[in-house]
Amino acid sequence: MFQKKSIFTFLQAQVAAFLGGITDYGLMILLTEVFKLHFTISILISGTVGAIINFSINRFWVFKNQSGYSSHLNNQLFKFALVVLGSISLKSFGTLILQKSFQIDYRIGRLIIDSFVSYGFNYPLIKNWVFRVNEKQNAIESN
């Protein structure tokens, strides 16, 4: 059902997401608790830093493809920025809704929202849109 390579890629992407995410989450707490920024602003700043880490790991390790990407670095950065903008918006808005509507602490709410955003939004877009491989070259190599 699943190919070994796709499972390995998924697991590598989770490592990249974890490293970017742990940086993001830790920085969010630091900015909110120590520097007293509102958590929605902290999420914006920390999400940007986490995204830079995530992009770098994804591009140079997870989705590194010898046959080449279907788009150049600048295009990948632009696409990744759009995904991150959507991701940060979903995380910030979702966390705010859980906090305001259900009185869930922002730290817990953020973890709940992150799991949905990571698997349902980020991973599919990063894999299939941002770091899509060159289809022609990939078909030649698989034969």
Side-chain angles (χ1 to χ4, degrees), residues 7-113:
I7 292 171
F8 186 67
T9 300
F10 177 77
L11 293 174
Q12 284 179 296
Q14 297 319 301
V15 169
F18 176 76
L19 293 173
I22 199 78
T23 302
D24 178 358
Y25 190 76
L27 188 55
M28 175 198 70
I29 300 241
L30 177 73
L31 293 171
T32 303
E33 299 296 326
V34 175
F35 294 102
K36 304 299 182 197
L37 294 176
H38 190 271
F39 67 83
T40 54
I41 301 300
S42 297
I43 290 171
L44 175 66
I45 295 167
S46 66
T48 302
V49 174
I52 292 167
I53 291 168
N54 192 336
F55 178 84
S56 300
I57 295 170
N58 276 318
R59 186 170 203 297
F60 297 108
W61 181 55
V62 178
F63 298 107
K64 183 179 180 187
N65 189 310
Q66 301 306 321
S67 57
Y69 293 112
S70 63
S71 58
H72 296 289
L73 176 62
N74 288 344
N75 199 11
Q76 286 177 338
L77 281 168
F78 178 72
K79 289 177 179 180
F80 195 82
L82 291 177
V83 172
V84 168
L85 183 60
S87 178
I88 290 172
S89 299
L90 289 169
K91 290 174 184 179
S92 186
F93 187 64
T95 303
L96 183 63
I97 286 177
L98 290 181
Q99 195 267 333
K100 294 290 184 188
S101 299
F102 303 102
Q103 286 72 46
I104 295 175
D105 184 86
Y106 78 94
R107 293 167 287 216
I108 303 299
R110 171 72 192 274
L111 292 174
I112 293 168
I113 294 299

